[in-house]
Amino acid sequence: MKIGFITTHLGTFGSIRELVENANELILLGHEVTIYNKTHLECEWLPCKAQIKGIDEIDKLDALIMMDSPFPDIFEAWNNADAKFKTFVMMGFDPDNFVFADIKLTEIEKNLKHILGNYVICADGQWQIDYFKEQGLKAGISIGGINLRMFKDLGLKRTLPIGYSGDLRQRKGSSTIKQVIASFDHTDSYFKKGDQIYLVDFLNKTEIFIDNHLRAGWCNPVLEAMACGCAVICNDLPASKDFAIHNKTAVVLKDNSAENFVKNVYMLMNNESHRQNLINEAKEHIKQFDYKIVSRNFANFLEFHINA
């Protein structure tokens, strides 16, 4: 198949990881893949096997996937492109604010409403697909995953008791995490401190990883920490529920107050057997989200709709 992805840029974002990882695996499966973005720039932070072109250079395609908010120029390029099948990948959103009123819509909301009413919608996680079905929308499949070639337990000595992402954006729950780490002496974060090799090394030296995302589609930090052998404590979030299962693969907190995080960090610190059980179960459970599997399913989905 000749497949295209369209997005604004290829900067350091979870959605871009998802795009690039799927593109790479689709190429390994024998498909021709091009990423169209406004900047015309290559992806500098992840290995990327796809061709890179501008949104004004879209070829005749079998499938074109939009992985971005439907900004007017991105939406127009996607909508006008010559492709046998088009789909849109919905990223993180808040279901409580999902239904749009009929008046005073922004241009982006108008475009999104048009897409939701007329196209098959894919998403990061299965929770979104289930939600779309409940809303009577044309739901596709989830394409969030984990690169298990990159993120894996290297058997390094765990020298950092507590690790966290350090992303300060409000939707990452950073204010609570700040309160949690104030209760401990030895903590550290990885956000904007190094490349992907650094990230894997950081997670491999971390004993307990804490995360408090408030809004997301697919919670990469939690999944990456699990793959690298961290014991994970996280809040109860739809974007993690496919892989963060309470007392099986992680400690999942319905009460995500700083006090409850602290209490459970101490609990894991003092219970090595429980910690190790979580780590072992998580490593096994997340194998199903390997991009090698996810992208093969995505390819089958695309081929089905192209030939429908």
Side-chain angles (χ1 to χ4, degrees), residues 77-91:
W78 177 80
N79 198 44
N80 293 337
D82 186 354
K84 293 178 183 176
F85 175 67
K86 297 175 187 176
T87 188
F88 173 74
V89 179
M90 175 68 83
M91 302 306 187

Side-chain angles (χ1 to χ4, degrees), residues 92-230:
F93 66 93
D94 182 354
D96 293 336
N97 298 321
F98 187 71
V99 180
F100 301 117
D102 289 329
I103 57 173
K104 295 183 179 180
L105 295 183
T106 67
E107 197 65 31
I108 294 173
E109 289 172 336
K110 288 178 183 176
N111 292 339
L112 183 55
K113 193 171 184 179
H114 173 79
I115 293 166
L116 295 174
N118 294 279
Y119 291 91
V120 177
I121 312 301
C122 294
D124 301 304
Q126 186 59 41
W127 72 276
Q128 294 158 299
I129 298 300
D130 294 340
Y131 178 81
F132 297 154
K133 290 177 180 177
E134 290 170 5
Q135 300 302 310
L137 301 174
K138 301 172 184 176
I141 63 172
S142 59
I143 63 169
I146 178 76
N147 181 346
L148 292 179
R149 295 187 188 94
M150 177 185 294
F151 293 98
K152 56 188 175 182
D153 190 341
L154 301 174
L156 303 181
K157 185 177 180 180
R158 303 276 166 178
T159 56
L160 178 65
I162 303 166
Y164 59 103
S165 76
D167 190 329
L168 296 177
R169 286 175 288 178
Q170 184 179 3
R171 63 187 176 88
K172 306 295 184 179
S174 55
S175 60
T176 297
I177 296 298
K178 280 183 180 179
Q179 295 175 56
V180 175
I181 63 174
S183 299
F184 300 94
D185 292 329
H186 302 294
T187 68
D188 200 0
S189 64
Y190 60 73
F191 188 62
K192 292 187 176 180
K193 291 184 179 178
D195 58 14
Q196 297 300 292
I197 295 173
Y198 171 87
L199 171 57
V200 172
D201 183 73
F202 176 94
L203 292 173
N204 267 271
K205 292 177 179 176
T206 299
E207 188 81 63
I208 297 171
F209 185 85
I210 58 174
D211 190 83
N212 187 47
H213 265 70
L214 302 180
R215 182 170 64 85
W218 186 253
C219 196
N220 283 309
V222 166
L223 193 53
E224 291 161 3
M226 288 178 170
C228 290
C230 302

